[in-house]
Amino acid sequence: MSSKHDAVVIGAGHNGLTCAAYLAKAGLSVLVLDAYDRIGGMSTSEELTLPGFQSDVHAVGYQFANLSPTPEELRLGEHGFELIRPNPNMVHAFPDGTCVGLFRTVEETCESIAQFSRRDASTWKSIFEGYLEQKEIFTAAVTAHPVTRLEHSVI
């Protein structure tokens, strides 16, 4: 291992790895350090409950990667990265054995919520439809390059 690096990134979570990958893509020698025994942060899945059953450890928010150009820009699929898109995306189980889930369709999600409250299911549908109307604006905001102090002061 070289003792000289152009950049050192502390943290091998998805943001640290993304930063390191772009620096390396630009030709820099990069060292990534992390205290955790796994890399990937919010992009990791682990076998936590049953053999062969992968749990999305931290990645509720990582579904935003579906909106990001980064996985394609860095050709992460060529290196084994795969975004798991389960259905349901997320489930919350209650002590009485019931559960509510967020599914890949708004209809299935509303059915799940309606078990507990038809009003909440209707509200969810309204919120989701509002998101779809604003999706392009939202995507542009979360994938935009940060502005510099100079750009910010001009705006």
Side-chain angles (χ1 to χ4, degrees):
M1 182 169 88
S2 171
S3 61
K4 286 189 144 199
H5 300 280
D6 299 315
V8 176
V9 176
I10 308 298
H14 70 285
N15 287 322
L17 292 174
T18 300
C19 177
Y22 278 114
L23 291 169
K25 186 176 178 181
L28 298 176
S29 169
V30 183
L31 174 65
V32 179
L33 302 170
D34 199 303
Y36 192 57
D37 67 343
R38 293 178 184 255
I39 64 169
M42 287 178 62
S43 65
T44 60
S45 297
E46 296 180 27
E47 196 172 277
L48 297 174
T49 56
L50 299 171
F53 186 81
Q54 295 289 314
S55 293
D56 196 355
V57 182
H58 320 278
V60 168
Y62 201 74
Q63 289 303 318
F64 289 127
N66 290 311
L67 304 175
S68 172
T70 300
E72 187 175 319
E73 287 177 1
L74 295 176
R75 299 186 342 242
L76 298 180
E78 294 175 23
H79 303 283
F81 178 78
E82 176 187 1
L83 274 173
I84 298 169
R85 299 191 61 184
N87 193 29
N89 288 315
M90 177 180 14
V91 173
H92 184 85
F94 300 106
D96 67 0
T98 60
C99 64
V100 63
L102 296 179
F103 291 83
R104 302 218 22 222
T105 68
V106 70
E107 293 80 16
E108 287 177 287
T109 300
C110 287
E111 284 176 27
S112 181
I113 296 169
Q115 299 173 86
F116 304 97
S117 168
R118 292 200 181 282
R119 181 175 158 206
D120 288 351
S122 176
T123 300
W124 172 263
K125 185 173 183 182
S126 176
I127 290 169
F128 189 78
E129 288 170 348
Y131 160 73
L132 290 178
E133 290 172 9
Q134 301 294 318
K135 183 178 177 183
E136 285 185 37
I137 294 168
F138 177 78
T139 301
V142 298
T143 61
H145 294 283
V147 295
T148 66
R149 290 177 145 254
L150 180 61
E151 290 171 321
H152 184 66
S153 65
V154 173
I155 293 175

